[in-house]
Amino acid sequence: MFTLTEDEVAINETARDFADEFLAPNAVEWDQNKHFPVDVLRKAAGLGMGGIYVDEEVGGSGLTRVDAARIFEQLATGDPSIAAYISIHNMVNWMIDTYGTDEQRRQWIPGLCSMDQLGSYCLTEPGAGSDAAALSTKAVRDGDDYILNGVKQFISGAGTSDVYVVMVRTGDAGPKGISAIIVPKDSAGLSFGANEKKMGWNAQPTRQVIFEDVRVPAANVLGDEGGGFRIAMNGLNGGRLNIAACSIGGAQSALDKAVSYLLERKAFGSRLLDQQALQFRLADMKTELEAARTMLWRAADALQNNAPDKVELCAMAKRFATDTGFQVANDALQLLGGYGYLAEYGVEKIVRDLRVHQILEGTNEIMRVVVARSLTAT
Ligand code: FAD
Ligand code: 2MC
């Protein structure tokens, strides 16, 4: 797993070249103008990044979770916000591939793989975030359809995405009363809130998704009725790994920028990089990122092989990598002095983007809840 094959090196390089050519040069401008570059997403899809771990038979790339972790790290060196959106899109695509019927897979997946259609994942609500099993968006059966009412909060890609995988209540309170259903954008009664003004992740929209008597065919239910929470959580295991990878990639890029700056910057008669205090700081940053990467690959391997401890390993990797990534990026900002605080150097943007990785796809407190529960599970 730790010694890359020629193919794995080539996959990494493809993702890195893409990030260098199409993401990094535009990242600061997209952040400032809140531009969601759908054309660039489609270019990434042309390289197989719309369905990285989706079955090849329906147009996916058929790669592993470890491959995906490496790809998202490389993409995030160019722009963590765009890499993270692609990761959410992949989660949605994988959920349909894994839990969908053949008919559903053939209907939705090819368009998601080419990113001609974009996907959004709708779990959080205004009144239910960490306590996701308390969600209240309702879907009531009416003949061959379900009628949906409720509001989803903080939905990445909302308003632009074409395909919404929505967790809804079809039964009693609690996780077993939840189903997952595919809602197309053009459904009557579906609308979107304003694009939220955010600290980071400005290159992708975040909106409410509002359901007012939205009629969706029962044929769009993913998996079994009542099985939606399990589907949502299994999607998130991989999502958490990918977000962890985005933190590592963003932080690696901030670290690289700090090294370049300290090599050039002269003070007290020599390069700042000659200060041993700063060298030690850089050495620690590199070491901590490598520890996070190692842990991430280990968790990705566990998920790939359906290991019994995959859930807590994914939670540990998400918590550790997103905390480490934020800390390293913030340290890099400090090492650039006043220039680190200026938008044009691109480091403050990375810090702002990485901050939210400690909150979404399960807060880092919830990751600790998951790990703590595993300590006493029988
Ligand atoms: P709360 O659940 O209200 O938590 C508040 C605080 O209490 C947090 O610090 C939390 O960690 C802590 N807390 C809660 N419960 C416990 C506990 N039991 N023990 C200890 N501490 C606890 N959601 C989607 O479904 N799809 C998306 O695409 C999506 N994209 C997002 C994009 C952005 C930019 C943001 C900011 C959020 C996004 N989210 C999305 C929502 C995100 O997953 C939630 O914000 C997150 O899960 C936390 O929920 P909450 O905001 O309601 O916080
Ligand atoms: N993987 C697989 N199954 C899981 C799971 C996981 N990660 N987490 C829970 N489950 C199963 C669990 O095993 C149980 O199954 P069963 O009924 O067969 O025993 C079922 O789901 C219910 O789980 P719990 O009894 O643990 O449910 P509880 O309500 O106590 O807690 C908790 C669940 C807190 C772990 C869950 O609600 C959670 O992860 N909350 C965080 C929400 C979240 O991550 N939101 C992210 C939104 S997406 C986003 O932010 C994006 C940017 C896309």
Side-chain angles (χ1 to χ4, degrees):
M1 182 169 49
F2 295 106
T3 307
L4 273 55
T5 64
E6 265 179 41
D7 282 353
E8 288 166 343
V9 170
I11 290 168
N12 245 16
E13 282 176 358
T14 302
R16 180 58 188 241
D17 291 347
F18 181 84
D20 287 348
E21 186 174 353
F22 296 108
L23 303 183
N26 302 308
V28 169
E29 191 202 318
W30 291 339
D31 174 69
Q32 284 171 354
N33 298 330
K34 300 190 170 25
H35 175 66
F36 188 37
V38 174
D39 53 333
V40 175
L41 298 179
R42 293 196 176 126
K43 276 197 182 54
L47 296 170
M49 295 177 199
I52 296 170
Y53 39 92
V54 164
D55 202 329
E56 285 172 290
E57 191 219 334
V58 275
S61 298
L63 296 177
T64 69
R65 300 299 186 141
V66 186
D67 294 322
R70 295 196 191 105
I71 289 170
F72 286 116
E73 176 180 344
Q74 295 308 325
L75 290 178
T77 61
D79 189 337
S81 164
I82 296 303
Y85 173 73
I86 298 176
S87 107
I88 294 168
H89 173 91
N90 269 270
M91 170 164 68
V92 167
N93 203 356
W94 175 84
M95 286 161 74
I96 298 177
D97 186 34
T98 304
Y99 299 102
T101 60
D102 270 353
E103 215 177 339
Q104 288 170 335
R105 292 169 71 235
R106 287 184 202 293
Q107 180 178 357
W108 303 105
I109 293 180
L112 288 168
C113 286
S114 63
M115 294 186 94
D116 287 323
Q117 299 223 299
L118 300 182
S120 284
Y121 174 99
C122 307
L123 179 65
T124 307
E125 298 183 353
S130 298
D131 187 7
L135 65 84
S136 64
T137 295
K138 236 179 154 32
V140 177
R141 184 82 189 227
D142 182 41
D144 288 340
D145 299 328
Y146 279 93
I147 297 174
L148 273 59
N149 279 289
V151 178
K152 292 292 175 180
Q153 178 77 7
F154 295 127
I155 304 306
S156 304
T160 304
S161 286
D162 308 276
V163 180
Y164 296 81
V165 171
V166 187
M167 273 45 80
V168 292
R169 186 155 305 284
T170 48
D172 294 340
K176 290 192 166 52
I178 294 171
S179 303
I181 189 161
I182 305 169
V183 181
K185 184 185 185 183
D186 57 9
S187 306
L190 183 67
S191 64
F192 305 99
N195 192 5
E196 303 287 358
K197 297 189 174 78
K198 311 189 290 286
M199 174 181 180
W201 271 35
N202 287 317
Q204 51 159 311
T206 308
R207 299 173 190 270
Q208 282 192 335
V209 179
I210 303 157
F211 303 86
E212 289 168 302
D213 289 331
V214 177
R215 189 174 280 275
V216 183
N220 284 17
V221 170
L222 209 47
D224 299 328
E225 190 179 296
F229 193 73
R230 193 173 50 87
I231 293 174
M233 290 296 126
N234 278 311
L236 277 176
N237 290 329
R240 288 167 181 167
L241 295 180
N242 297 341
I243 284 297
C246 291
S247 284
I248 295 172
Q252 182 66 55
S253 150
L255 171 58
D256 294 344
K257 287 180 203 291
V259 173
S260 303
Y261 178 82
L262 295 175
L263 264 170
E264 293 295 320
R265 183 74 172 172
K266 303 271 189 332
F268 305 103
S270 68
R271 302 177 312 179
L272 272 180
L273 194 71
D274 295 331
Q275 299 283 347
Q276 197 179 47
L278 303 186
Q279 290 172 5
F280 278 19
R281 180 102 165 245
L282 292 168
D284 283 348
M285 291 158 76
K286 182 170 174 152
T287 306
E288 276 144 32
L289 272 187
E290 196 56 41
R293 187 178 289 116
T294 302
M295 195 170 183
L296 172 63
W297 292 7
R298 153 98 172 94
D301 183 67
L303 185 60
Q304 181 66 31
N305 292 305
N306 201 22
D309 52 357
K310 65 180 182 187
V311 171
E312 55 266 31
L313 284 171
C314 290
M316 285 181 219
K318 193 273 181 184
R319 205 283 295 159
F320 188 77
T322 58
D323 282 351
T324 301
F326 178 76
Q327 192 57 51
V328 167
N330 201 31
D331 285 353
L333 189 156
Q334 184 72 17
L335 290 173
L336 265 80
Y339 301 97
Y341 201 67
L342 301 186
E344 75 175 274
Y345 287 78
V347 176
E348 60 85 37
K349 182 224 180 260
I350 297 173
V351 174
R352 287 188 285 106
D353 282 347
L354 265 44
R355 180 62 183 85
V356 81
H357 297 189
Q358 296 171 296
I359 297 172
L360 43 68
E361 303 228 2
T363 66
N364 284 2
E365 289 76 27
I366 291 300
M367 296 305 95
R368 292 181 175 93
V369 169
V370 172
V371 176
R373 284 182 181 179
S374 75
L375 289 167
T376 51
T378 46

